[in-house]
Amino acid sequence: MEKTDILSLPYDELIEYVQNRGEKAFRGKQLYQWMHQHLAESFDAMQNLPKSFKEGLDRDCNYHILKSVDLQISQLDGTRKYLFELADGNMVEAVLMHYKHGDSVCISSQVGCKMGCRFCASTLDGWLRNLTPAEMLGQVYSIQRDIWKSMGLTKAPSIGSEEYTNSRISNLVVMGTGEPLDNYENLLTFIRMLTDEHGLNLSQRSITVSTCGLVPKIKALGEEKLGITLALSLHAPNQQKRQELMPIARTYEIHEVVDALREYQNTTGRRVSFEYSLVAGVNDSDGDARELSELIGDIHGHVNLIPVNPIKERDFKSPSHQAAVAFQKKLENCGINVTIRREMGRDIDGACGQLRRRHIHP
Ligand code: SAH
């Protein structure tokens, strides 16, 4: 019999699962809290559960804790980049960034990626598989345990205490390897579980999902009416330039994508944001800034400029800081909210997919 992926079961499904095993519903609640609030590392560690119940779970379920097989820590800003090993031996990256307003975690949604964006290291080896909700949660939970460890704690602070709330990660971005909307159902389950009151209970407002622009999925996501922020990787001011950088633009034309974002904003009432990787001589001219402001000027949103993080497999160069600031000013003059993304972890393999790739191709 195939083992149950117990960490992927949302609260209601877990209660039902436990009841089907002949246990009372409250055992399901306790079990959920052990897995998703205390972040227990084994069934054995779940103190108030009967031994026979735990042994049965051990026999019938997979409960794999992601272990970090490599960790890089930035000397510049303390950013920590983790390489986690999954149960099948595949590896995924996740990042912890410290900001003034709290800790932000960036996770991967797939093993590899099939979108083929030209400047991105995550896609160079193609796509292997989707991550399960458990594997997305697992990245967050392993990092949360590491935060507690760095505070000198050997286990979770008491649930509901100020220490628990204050040490909890405050923001989550799905901007690591993979296209989250290409793993739509698992992504939604993951978001629902991460924001469940019986779990880590993050607010939906503290979650950002970034997409290369899968139009039908953006529309479906809008209908879910979640409180999350949607970010679109735009990277170009017009169709011709976008399709040179992003093959997905050949499937969904730039205006179609921007319209889908407009619609997302109207249905959800949430602000949207745009990612724009600045590539010297490719998309960073005055004309590009003007065209970009015409394209998205009417959308209540925010543009994040990311000077491209050059990868050795491609010949893309990052513009100088002055050139990035000039581009920012140009957009601001057109009334657009813009920030230049602080380049966290520049001294480690900061760009998506670089650390994993270094391990696949030593
Ligand atoms: N597939 C999703 C999320 C993953 S990538 C998406 O496309 O949005 C997160 C962001 O980093 C995307 O905007 C991506 O285009 C950008 N990115 C990837 N590699 C980069 C690099 N080398 N330099 C700058 N930005 C990069």
Side-chain angles (χ1 to χ4, degrees), residues 101-237:
H101 58 264
D103 287 337
S104 183
V105 166
C106 170
I107 64 147
S108 295
S109 55
Q110 297 180 317
V111 182
C113 185
K114 54 175 104 131
M115 297 301 150
C117 299
R118 298 283 300 153
F119 43 80
C120 181
S122 291
T123 199
L124 290 169
D125 292 300
W127 175 88
L128 280 172
R129 66 174 179 86
N130 284 332
L131 294 185
T132 61
E135 289 168 330
M136 288 187 259
L137 290 168
Q139 298 170 61
V140 179
Y141 293 175
S142 289
I143 292 179
Q144 183 66 66
R145 286 187 204 99
D146 203 31
I147 294 174
W148 288 333
K149 208 154 96 194
S150 69
M151 295 163 61
L153 302 172
T154 51
K155 58 184 177 68
S158 7
I159 309 303
S161 66
E162 213 168 291
E163 195 179 24
Y164 189 89
T165 315
N166 292 342
S167 62
R168 191 181 45 181
I169 64 156
S170 40
N171 288 284
L172 177 98
V173 297
V174 189
M175 285 194 189
T177 295
E179 167 50 46
L181 298 191
D182 187 39
N183 184 13
Y184 187 79
E185 292 302 330
N186 288 346
L187 176 81
L188 280 194
T189 304
F190 160 73
I191 292 173
R192 298 219 157 97
M193 292 176 76
L194 195 63
T195 55
D196 192 301
E197 57 173 339
H198 303 97
L200 221 44
N201 196 13
L202 256 66
S203 96
Q204 290 193 347
R205 281 166 195 274
S206 61
I207 298 177
T208 299
V209 171
S210 179
T211 177
C212 64
L214 307 185
V215 170
K217 293 288 163 38
I218 294 177
K219 291 186 175 174
L221 188 66
E223 294 305 323
E224 304 283 344
K225 300 214 170 37
L226 301 175
I228 62 170
T229 301
L230 184 62
L232 173 69
S233 295
L234 188 56
H235 303 322

Side-chain angles (χ1 to χ4, degrees), residues 234-258 288 291 295:
L234 188 56
H235 303 322
N238 59 45
Q239 173 63 12
Q240 194 225 329
K241 288 197 179 191
R242 191 162 194 262
Q243 70 184 27
E244 275 165 32
L245 292 172
M246 305 176 73
I248 192 66
R250 297 196 194 112
T251 309
Y252 304 111
E253 204 267 338
I254 192 165
H255 292 97
E256 207 189 325
V257 182
V258 171
D288 293 325
E291 224 179 330
L295 181 70

Side-chain angles (χ1 to χ4, degrees), residues 70-72 81-84 92-94 121 349-360:
D70 193 357
L71 171 64
Q72 295 188 337
K81 185 151 196 173
Y82 301 80
L83 189 70
F84 289 119
V92 290
E93 299 178 3
D349 289 321
C352 292
Q354 279 183 344
L355 179 58
R356 171 170 169 261
R357 200 169 147 77
R358 211 160 46 72
H359 278 255
I360 305 177

